[in-house]
Amino acid sequence: MKVFNPPFARPLTEAEVARLCGDGTRAATDALAADIGLAPDLVGLIHEAGRDLDLSSLMPQLEGIFIPERWQESVDRLTLRTRRDQSGMTILAIYLRCLNVTRRRYADFGLPDRTFRDTMGFFPRMLEAYRSAHGRVWFDEANWAVRQVSLTLLRIDELEFEFIGGDSPRVDLHIPSDASLEAADLARTFAAFRTFLKDHCPAWTEAAVHCESWLLDPGLDELLPQRSRIRVFRGLFHVEGLQWADDFREWTAGRTDLADADLPERTSLQRAIKRHLLAGGRMGVGKGVLIPQAVSALDGRGDLARPAQ
């Protein structure tokens, strides 16, 4: 039986190991950080944290973050090695050094550099979101960022697509915090994804697309108008299960430590969720599979989404 591996993930080569340990990678990292949208003060913090890094001593862990089967062990060991840094900037500096290899791989695979920059926008987005919510800088996404570094997850237009290995091709869809869920934008994104598969990994063109998100909680139908963007998005999936969870708090309030009564009310979505919770309601994470026919029906329906959250 054929096993499908993520199409762009592979172990480090000897040349890539040499490149990581070379002085040129250190110099290139500052430019790369600015190129993916990191604010100058964050670039300075990252540069300072990585000033004395000896990547050669970390090579077993660095090799592991490029191999999905070794992610958890490698991140755990990197976290242990950098535990004195409570800001997470040291491990972020390590990841950004690795992105020099990742960017070269994009070019080797013929993938657009814009896709690289869009995908790596994850880093400034997460850092700024945490700073906005907590008033300080902290990188706490080491376990997730291996996907971007290893070229397992790519952002195409508005959404992120993660290639999952196994007996059959499968793609996990993720929704960035700055994604537009306008129907027209979703239609364009899925069309771009289909073209991407055809051009770069045709064996995955029939891959099932899965999504696990609080946006797929069917209970949102009771909180939002029929034409809301979220309801249009959820309608693209066959929801197969629901698990009670608080994921929505991070994405709607920016933090998970607020009591229901203290949740913000700046948007209609926040107000609806808060009323729901204070009335004794619950929210969860839905698990769904993309319905191709529903995606096809998006064309020409951009007007359905504009009343929004």
Side-chain angles (χ1 to χ4, degrees):
M1 178 181 294
K2 182 176 181 180
V3 175
F4 287 83
N5 295 313
F8 310 115
R10 65 187 186 195
L12 287 172
T13 65
E14 290 184 9
E16 289 171 336
V17 169
R19 189 177 304 124
L20 274 175
C21 296
D23 291 337
T25 300
R26 300 182 184 183
T29 300
D30 288 350
L32 184 150
D35 202 21
I36 64 175
L38 284 164
D41 65 320
L42 294 177
V43 175
L45 291 173
I46 296 164
H47 178 81
E48 185 63 29
R51 183 184 301 276
D52 298 320
L53 278 175
D54 175 16
L55 292 194
S56 61
S57 68
L58 300 173
M59 198 50 61
Q61 289 77 53
L62 300 191
E63 291 175 337
I65 68 174
F66 283 90
I67 303 172
E69 293 79 11
R70 293 176 53 190
W71 280 347
Q72 192 60 61
E73 174 192 2
S74 300
V75 172
D76 288 347
R77 290 184 178 275
L78 281 176
T79 302
L80 183 63
R81 293 284 296 272
T82 61
R83 64 187 180 278
R84 293 183 179 180
D85 177 8
Q86 297 299 309
S87 70
M89 290 296 104
T90 301
I91 198 166
L92 177 56
I94 293 170
Y95 279 28
L96 290 182
R97 297 269 186 89
C98 292
L99 288 186
N100 288 288
V101 169
T102 306
R103 193 173 208 172
R104 178 69 67 88
R105 288 186 174 186
Y106 267 75
D108 291 345
F109 282 116
L111 306 180
D113 192 63
R114 175 182 174 179
T115 302
F116 171 85
R117 287 182 277 110
D118 288 348
T119 301
M120 303 315 161
F122 160 84
F123 289 96
R125 193 167 63 249
M126 292 298 101
L127 287 166
E128 295 296 354
Y130 191 91
R131 176 154 63 178
S132 176
H134 300 274
R136 62 187 179 95
V137 174
W138 186 34
F139 179 69
D140 63 343
E141 297 286 349
N143 280 292
W144 186 259
V146 289
R147 292 163 171 80
Q148 285 83 359
V149 174
S150 65
L151 229 168
T152 302
L153 179 152
L154 298 88
R155 179 166 183 168
I156 299 173
D157 212 320
E158 297 293 337
L159 303 172
E160 295 172 335
F161 299 89
E162 179 183 359
F163 294 88
I164 308 295
D167 295 338
S168 59
R170 167 179 166 167
V171 174
D172 282 1
L173 182 149
H174 308 287
I175 307 99
S177 57
D178 63 343
S180 168
L181 298 185
E182 296 282 359
D185 293 334
L186 291 173
R188 185 188 66 245
T189 296
F190 285 115
F193 178 59
R194 289 193 298 270
T195 299
F196 179 90
L197 293 179
K198 180 181 177 182
D199 291 346
H200 300 290
C201 42
W204 290 71
T205 53
E206 300 301 321
V209 178
H210 293 249
C211 183
E212 184 172 333
S213 171
W214 68 275
L215 295 175
L216 299 191
D217 182 346
L220 287 168
D221 286 358
E222 301 177 9
L223 308 180
L224 299 170
Q226 184 176 2
R227 294 190 172 192
S228 75
R229 292 188 292 261
I230 289 177
R231 289 188 64 173
V232 169
F233 177 78
R234 194 180 68 75
L236 302 178
F237 295 86
H238 172 64
V239 178
E240 299 178 329
L242 178 69
Q243 180 178 356
W244 300 119
D246 282 341
D247 293 45
F248 72 94
R249 294 179 185 273
E250 179 179 356
W251 302 111
T252 61
R255 54 196 301 171
T256 60
D257 57 348
L258 295 176
D260 293 348
D262 297 325
L263 289 172
E265 301 180 59
R266 293 185 297 273
T267 69
S268 59
L269 174 62
Q270 290 173 336
R271 291 189 292 272
I273 289 176
K274 186 171 183 177
R275 287 195 302 269
H276 176 66
L277 296 174
L278 292 177
R282 302 175 70 183
M283 293 194 65
V285 169
K287 299 180 180 181
V289 180
L290 190 69
I291 305 169
Q293 296 86 345
V295 173
S296 299
L298 278 174
D299 293 333
R301 293 177 60 203
D303 61 312
L304 290 180
R306 292 197 176 92
Q309 306 160 359

